[in-house]
Amino acid sequence: MEAKDVSRLEGTAREMVAPRKGILAADESYGTINKRFTAVGIEDSEDNRRAYREMLFTADGVGNYLSGVIMFDETIRQKSSDGRPFAKVLEEQGVLPGIKVDQGAKDMALSPGEKLTEGLDGLRERLAEYVDMGARFTKWRAVITIDDGIPTRRCIDANAHVLARYAALVQEAGMVPIVEPEVLIDGTHSIDDCYEATLATLHSTFDEIHKQNVEPRGLILKPNMVISGKDASNRADVDTVARYTLECLLRTVPAAVPGIAFLSGGQSDREATAHLDSMNRQAAEMGGLPWEVTFSYARALQDLPMRTWKGDDSNASEAQRIFLHRAKMNSLAHAGEYDENLEESAA
């Protein structure tokens, strides 16, 4: 890759993890958005999906807290009620448009209970189309499950290989890849089990990234936090999660990577914010980290705004206010300045 290309990719990547900013994951698939809409009584129609995303993207001042938004294929093709493509709406807010490009995690052959993400076929052509639509970055999610006898080495390595091939194609197209190897929070496993699975996953992912000639200065890592299973009997506290996570990252992530944008992965909104804040506070005590540590949340930013909106335009203003509040809380967490009292005063 030529120096000028690396410089451009690195510039975009650093913009994506700018201080006090993070990334909104608004890339729910049809099945996921259907489940979330249904849970709060919203009819799952194309018009409602469009109106919901417009409500989020047009919140006044969202660019103060968000650097980018990951969209779904349907969303990047949609327009706001005044006729502007959503990519343009985001750009006018000072937010980079991004696009999810994987086609979902499917059952992995001969590996019961494990998944392998698909979507490499035809990806080069799809990427060219997304560039024309205004996308500046992309995302691909791999899924790693902890259970009896899993994850297996073959599942970790297969997903790492696919993530690296995806990242190479994205950089070839001139966009920044978000690489998302997610060790799921589902289960009763301990934080130590999660640490070992995450360590192995990140080691394999960056080994494959090197083999595929992917430039680490031009990518963003979107990992899980190292956390106890959500059904574990004794879940680790906030500061322990932060400490384990930072140790795991320092052992695996090259210093050349501009930033790490965590997924919330089934945590509550405040839990995800508190964990991010503790990481940045501990990082400051350590004298800093080689990369920015920020957020790329979906439910942890959207859950309460969605429940407030309920598909009713008359609720849009209040839903936007709540959305901006959650974005601001995570902006503070990115700086290690989050205070739970701000939550109470805003309730």
Side-chain angles (χ1 to χ4, degrees):
M1 190 177 294
E2 296 182 9
K4 62 181 180 181
D5 295 328
V6 173
S7 177
R8 182 165 56 86
L9 289 172
E10 183 176 6
T12 300
R14 293 200 177 278
E15 190 175 349
M16 291 166 64
V17 291
R20 296 180 180 273
K21 293 188 178 183
I23 300 165
L24 168 65
D27 58 337
E28 297 92 348
S29 65
Y30 292 120
T32 300
I33 199 71
N34 176 273
K35 182 194 299 184
R36 294 181 186 172
F37 272 10
T38 300
V40 297
I42 301 171
E43 179 189 357
D44 182 25
S45 66
E46 181 178 355
D47 189 58
N48 274 345
R49 292 191 296 271
R50 188 207 61 77
Y52 173 66
R53 265 64 180 257
E54 179 175 7
M55 182 270 292
L56 297 176
F57 300 168
T58 58
D60 188 27
V62 72
N64 294 327
Y65 312 120
L66 297 183
S67 58
V69 171
I70 311 167
M71 291 181 279
F72 185 57
D73 179 78
E74 176 187 67
T75 312
I76 200 172
R77 300 176 189 278
Q78 291 174 327
K79 298 179 179 180
S80 63
S81 53
D82 61 9
R84 292 174 295 159
F86 276 149
K88 184 69 173 175
V89 171
L90 292 171
E91 287 174 349
E92 291 176 356
Q93 289 267 48
V95 177
L96 296 173
I99 180 71
K100 170 186 175 178
V101 298
D102 71 70
Q103 295 181 332
K106 308 295 172 62
D107 289 341
M108 185 173 173
L110 306 181
S111 285
E114 298 191 294
K115 304 283 187 181
L116 181 63
T117 302
E118 298 182 353
L120 288 178
D121 289 349
L123 181 56
R124 179 179 275 124
E125 293 73 26
R126 289 191 288 124
L127 292 173
E129 183 182 16
Y130 290 138
V131 168
D132 288 343
M133 292 179 184
R136 298 282 302 281
F137 67 93
T138 66
K139 191 202 84 168
W140 182 291
R141 175 179 180 248
V143 175
I144 305 296
T145 302
I146 299 176
D147 205 344
D148 293 340
I150 60 174
T152 62
R153 186 83 245 177
R154 63 182 173 274
C155 175
I156 289 172
D157 290 348
N159 275 291
H161 178 72
V162 171
L163 277 167
R165 288 183 57 197
Y166 140 79
L169 285 164
V170 172
Q171 289 190 343
E172 177 190 76
M175 292 186 286
V176 171
I178 292 180
V179 174
E180 181 179 357
E182 178 180 3
V183 176
L184 296 176
I185 196 173
D186 302 316
T188 60
H189 55 268
S190 68
I191 190 171
D192 292 290
D193 292 332
C194 183
Y195 182 92
E196 292 303 322
T198 304
L199 190 75
T201 297
L202 292 178
H203 267 311
S204 185
T205 297
F206 282 103
D207 182 50
E208 289 291 336
I209 280 171
H210 175 71
K211 289 177 181 176
Q212 295 299 321
N213 202 30
V214 174
E215 175 52 63
R217 289 174 291 174
L219 67 83
I220 299 297
L221 177 67
K222 181 174 176 174
N224 56 282
M225 297 178 191
V226 177
I227 193 168
S228 313
K230 66 181 181 183
D231 297 320
S233 56
N234 293 300
R235 302 194 73 218
D237 62 28
V238 168
D239 290 338
T240 301
V241 168
R243 177 168 55 83
Y244 268 65
T245 303
L246 291 179
E247 180 181 320
C248 188
L249 295 172
L250 285 166
R251 290 182 63 185
T252 54
V253 182
V257 172
I260 294 166
F262 284 101
L263 56 91
S264 50
Q267 300 176 58
S268 71
D269 48 13
R270 295 189 184 189
E271 184 183 18
T273 305
H275 283 139
L276 177 63
D277 179 71
S278 182
M279 275 184 249
N280 280 297
R281 288 178 187 271
Q282 291 185 36
E285 293 171 359
M286 294 162 57
L289 296 168
W291 358 259
E292 288 289 327
V293 174
T294 189
F295 61 95
S296 178
Y297 295 162
R299 273 177 292 182
L301 285 173
Q302 296 184 59
D303 185 57
L304 188 52
M306 184 183 290
R307 293 176 184 278
T308 302
W309 179 63
K310 295 180 180 176
D312 186 341
D313 287 345
S314 67
N315 297 327
S317 179
E318 177 63 8
Q320 287 179 325
R321 186 195 68 78
I322 293 169
F323 173 58
L324 288 170
H325 173 71
R326 286 261 47 87
K328 181 179 180 180
M329 292 301 98
N330 286 291
S331 169
L332 292 171
H334 183 179
E337 297 175 2
Y338 172 65
D339 185 339
E340 286 187 349
N341 291 325
L342 295 172
E343 300 279 15
E344 295 171 359
S345 65

